[in-house]
Amino acid sequence: MSEYGFNTNILHGTAINDPHGATHMPVYQNSAFCYETAEELEKVFNNKAFGFSYTRINNPTVESFEKRITMLEKGIASVACASGMAALCNAMLNILQAGDEIVAAAGLYGGTVELFEDFEAYGIHTVYVTENTPEAYEEKITEKTRLIFAETIGNPKLDVTDIKAIAETAHRNGLPLLIDNTVATPCLVRPIELGADIVVHSSSKYINGNSDAISGIIVWSGKFRWDAERYPGMAAYRKFGPMAYVAKLRNGLFRSFGACLSPQNAFLNNLGLETLGLRMERQCRNALELAEYLQTIGADLQVEYPGLKSSAYHELAEKQFGGRFGAILTLRVGSKERAFRMINSLKLPLILSNIGDTKTLVIHPASTIAAHLTEEAQIQSGVYGDQIRVSVGIEDIEDLKKDFLQAYENTREEQAAEG
């Protein structure tokens, strides 16, 4: 197939092949699939023939979603999971064992930090870098390190990972790089093209776009070559060549853990995916304009957004994302009490713990998504008590500006009255 643009590829880059001429892959709401003979089913179960057997293992609707994400991320195969956390857990435990270490970025989503804390019980330790730079990762690598992990754009720290430079650091040390591309999406950057080996998404967010389906997905590049001594679990799968990582995952943890994506949610993701490029274009533009506006309305507002020239990550973000900077910004307003009052004063944004919806969403990270982290871990993750995270939607920007202005002015007047 010839190379099309991003939006054209979403719509036409993978075949539907429905015998009835459906323009969307239908929902195959089956738990299992039948065959004419026992011999046929035996071949499917023993990987000697292609086919669908049981939806915990594979399903036509889920496979169609996997193929579209594989195409967009420029990988060679994908595995869809029940949630973003299931994807992250499967992606890592597929290659890690007791005694191994992960070197990870500091500005991570709180749920990911909690997952790493849970890994400790199984002998897998995580070491965090203090700054998201190649030098910082290099400094933390030891003989126990087996994986480098970072988010493309930290949530909610909004630090930007130099994927190419950190991939070079990882590969120089014989390690794979796993990138969580949830916040940027393949619309802004394709980490595999910059050297990442594994990409994960919480596809419940921007890929879905409507907050109506929980899901996650793992994309494999096919490029990393596994050292059998460092990664003994991969030894038996080296015969699969570039597909070794996915072969091990599908024949092991993924089918055993059972955290598969439901066909209905795969269908909803396929629908949402078709407008990803249009939504991201509008949301990124709205986020930049809102961030620039909020900088002008009061000196007591501290606005963080990679698109602002004041951001320490602006130059890297501009280069890596081609002039778009994501759709999340944060505000620091001076106190938790004022943050709550400002959130409660907003009329348009919804107060909920998600990002990537068509509607603007707001949350107080310290008391919600990072509530179970220590104060030290919160600061390391870029979470503060007076912080508001804003996931900017596709509303008319002037309406968002007016709403944030009135909320800001109301809380300023309340503060003055209290003073």
Side-chain angles (χ1 to χ4, degrees):
M1 190 188 98
S2 60
E3 184 69 21
Y4 293 122
F6 186 82
N7 292 302
T8 308
N9 261 333
I10 289 178
L11 299 173
H12 302 286
T14 57
I16 301 298
N17 293 329
D18 181 76
H20 305 292
T23 58
H24 293 287
M25 173 60 74
V27 181
Y28 282 84
Q29 196 64 49
N30 296 62
S31 58
F33 300 84
C34 68
Y35 286 82
E36 293 292 329
T37 67
E39 287 83 1
E40 286 180 276
L41 189 55
E42 180 187 36
K43 288 178 181 177
V44 171
F45 263 83
N46 287 277
N47 299 317
K48 293 181 179 178
F50 175 78
F52 300 97
S53 56
Y54 194 63
T55 286
R56 173 166 57 83
I57 300 168
N58 55 4
N59 176 283
T61 313
V62 175
E63 184 193 60
S64 71
F65 174 58
E66 291 170 339
K67 285 183 174 179
R68 295 176 96 172
I69 297 297
T70 300
M71 173 195 64
L72 292 179
E73 284 286 10
K74 306 295 185 184
I76 66 168
S78 294
V79 178
C81 302
S83 67
M85 295 308 300
L88 192 59
C89 190
N90 272 275
M92 292 185 169
L93 293 185
N94 193 42
I95 57 173
L96 299 177
Q97 60 182 16
D100 290 348
E101 288 186 353
I102 303 164
V103 175
L108 301 179
Y109 165 61
T112 301
V113 176
E114 292 180 49
L115 174 65
F116 290 164
E117 290 173 356
D118 290 335
F119 280 177
E120 293 286 345
Y122 302 96
I124 299 170
H125 181 58
T126 303
V127 178
Y128 295 97
V129 299
T130 52
E131 296 294 332
N132 197 351
T133 65
E135 296 78 17
Y137 287 91
E138 184 83 57
E139 184 180 326
K140 297 292 185 179
I141 292 171
T142 70
E143 61 180 18
K144 294 182 179 180
T145 307
R146 294 294 180 269
L147 180 68
I148 306 295
F149 173 73
E151 295 173 354
T152 312
I153 302 174
N155 172 22
K157 191 174 184 178
L158 300 182
D159 56 331
V160 176
T161 298
D162 188 337
I163 299 169
K164 186 174 186 296
I166 292 169
E168 290 171 355
T169 298
H171 296 158
R172 187 167 56 250
N173 288 276
L175 302 169
L177 172 63
L178 192 162
I179 291 288
D180 184 333
N181 200 31
T182 299
V183 175
T185 81
C187 186
L188 269 63
V189 66
R190 290 175 289 276
I192 288 171
E193 292 184 327
L194 298 178
D197 302 292
I198 309 162
V199 173
V200 296
H201 286 271
S202 174
S203 41
S204 322
K205 311 299 192 293
Y206 293 98
I207 285 172
N208 171 266
N210 297 286
S211 296
D212 62 7
I214 295 292
S215 61
I217 193 160
I218 306 162
V219 189
W220 167 238
S221 70
K223 296 176 181 177
F224 190 79
R225 296 296 174 259
W226 302 100
D227 181 304
E229 286 191 25
R230 278 189 166 187
Y231 303 94
M234 296 297 299
Y237 294 90
R238 293 174 72 183
K239 62 186 178 183
F240 292 98
M243 290 295 290
Y245 177 85
V246 171
K248 181 177 185 296
L249 183 58
R250 284 201 177 275
N251 285 281
L253 282 176
F254 173 72
R255 68 195 301 164
S256 299
F257 277 8
C260 58
L261 179 59
S262 73
Q264 181 65 45
N265 282 2
F267 176 78
L268 292 171
N269 282 351
N270 272 335
L271 291 182
L273 188 59
E274 295 198 348
T275 60
L276 174 62
L278 300 179
R279 287 184 283 106
M280 286 301 288
E281 182 179 346
R282 174 65 171 252
Q283 287 170 289
C284 290
R285 186 170 68 244
N286 274 0
L288 177 59
E289 195 166 337
L290 182 61
E292 290 175 337
Y293 174 72
L294 291 172
Q295 279 193 317
T296 70
I297 66 175
D300 54 341
L301 278 186
Q302 184 178 330
V303 186
E304 182 58 44
Y305 179 66
L308 297 175
K309 290 186 171 63
S310 57
S311 169
Y313 303 96
H314 177 76
E315 187 176 341
L316 172 60
E318 190 166 43
K319 174 185 174 183
Q320 189 163 263
F321 305 141
R324 288 175 293 182
F325 305 94
I328 297 177
L329 60 90
T330 62
L331 307 173
R332 293 188 64 185
V333 297
S335 69
K336 174 183 176 181
E337 293 71 25
R338 189 182 183 193
F340 274 37
R341 288 199 300 266
M342 189 162 175
I343 288 172
N344 294 339
S345 295
L346 289 164
K347 298 175 181 177
L348 290 175
L350 304 180
I351 307 170
L352 57 87
S353 61
N354 199 16
I355 59 173
D357 199 297
T358 52
K359 305 169 188 70
T360 296
L361 315 173
V362 293
I363 198 171
H364 179 254
S367 63
T368 54
I369 59 173
H372 302 295
L373 304 185
T374 64
E375 185 177 351
E376 180 183 357
Q378 284 193 356
I379 293 172
Q380 186 171 260
S381 296
V383 175
Y384 302 93
D386 65 338
Q387 182 187 64
I388 301 169
R389 186 190 71 185
V390 184
S391 171
V392 183
I394 65 171
E395 297 94 342
D396 293 305
I397 188 60
E398 294 304 322
D399 294 328
L400 289 176
K401 287 179 182 178
K402 289 175 186 175
D403 196 17
F404 274 86
L405 178 61
Q406 66 81 22
Y408 168 76
E409 289 180 338
N410 284 345
T411 59
R412 186 174 60 178
E413 289 170 5
E414 289 173 10
Q415 276 196 319
E418 291 172 1

